[in-house]
Amino acid sequence: RKSCAWHCPRSGQICSSQRFSRKQQQLEQHITKTNTVMKSSISSSLFVIATFLLTSMTEAGRASMEKPKLPEGFCPPETGDVTATTGECMCHWQHKNGCVGSGCQYQMGLSWYHYSCKDCRCIAES
């Protein structure tokens, strides 16, 4: 008979190659299960982190729900409309010349100004 024995560290006994083979299979199965659990855990953690970051970014871009206190005579209805929450006057004439003043904005085809601009006003379409 061929001697294929090794020393078992737990029991201190000499283990046969068959027993070694069975132990090796059990160890490989345990490692496979552990790897599967770890992959699942990492995937779950990444999902939670991604969801948190996306929610945070979405909330950061939202306007305040409270309406600001606007100055008297801000944004006459004949030439513009006041936004509900941001305190801006959207000029009816959507042109780069639709607003005059130091704080006028013309972006993405919209002409507007913020209530903090004291010398801004919308002008009627000409």
Side-chain angles (χ1 to χ4, degrees), residues 96-113:
K96 63 182 177 182
N97 298 326
C99 177
V100 292
S102 61
C104 288
Q105 300 285 324
Y106 182 71
Q107 297 175 0
M108 298 176 18
L110 301 173
S111 185
W112 57 276
Y113 65 96

Side-chain angles (χ1 to χ4, degrees), residues 34-49:
T34 303
N35 286 344
T36 303
V37 169
M38 286 178 62
K39 287 177 185 176
S40 175
S41 177
I42 289 170
S43 296
S44 297
S45 298
L46 289 176
F47 176 76
V48 169
I49 290 169

Side-chain angles (χ1 to χ4, degrees), residues 11-109:
S11 65
Q13 299 175 350
I14 302 293
C15 302
S16 70
S17 61
Q18 263 187 342
R19 197 167 174 192
F20 174 73
S21 179
R22 191 174 71 236
K23 290 278 187 187
Q24 188 175 8
Q25 286 176 348
Q26 288 173 344
L27 180 62
E28 287 173 358
Q29 288 173 351
H30 176 73
I31 289 171
T32 303
K33 285 179 185 177
T34 303
N35 286 344
T36 303
V37 169
M38 286 178 62
K39 287 177 185 176
S40 175
S41 177
I42 289 170
S43 296
S44 297
S45 298
L46 289 176
F47 176 76
V48 169
I49 290 169
T51 303
F52 173 75
L53 291 175
L54 288 174
T55 303
S56 299
M57 289 178 4
T58 303
E59 288 296 316
R62 292 187 75 183
S64 171
M65 295 305 290
E66 295 180 23
K67 187 175 182 176
K69 186 175 180 180
L70 302 173
E72 189 67 36
F74 173 73
C75 195
E78 301 81 36
T79 57
D81 292 312
V82 179
T83 59
T85 59
T86 56
E88 296 161 343
C89 181
M90 305 299 293
C91 300
H92 290 167
W93 188 25
Q94 296 301 324
H95 187 270
K96 63 182 177 182
N97 298 326
C99 177
V100 292
S102 61
C104 288
Q105 300 285 324
Y106 182 71
Q107 297 175 0
M108 298 176 18

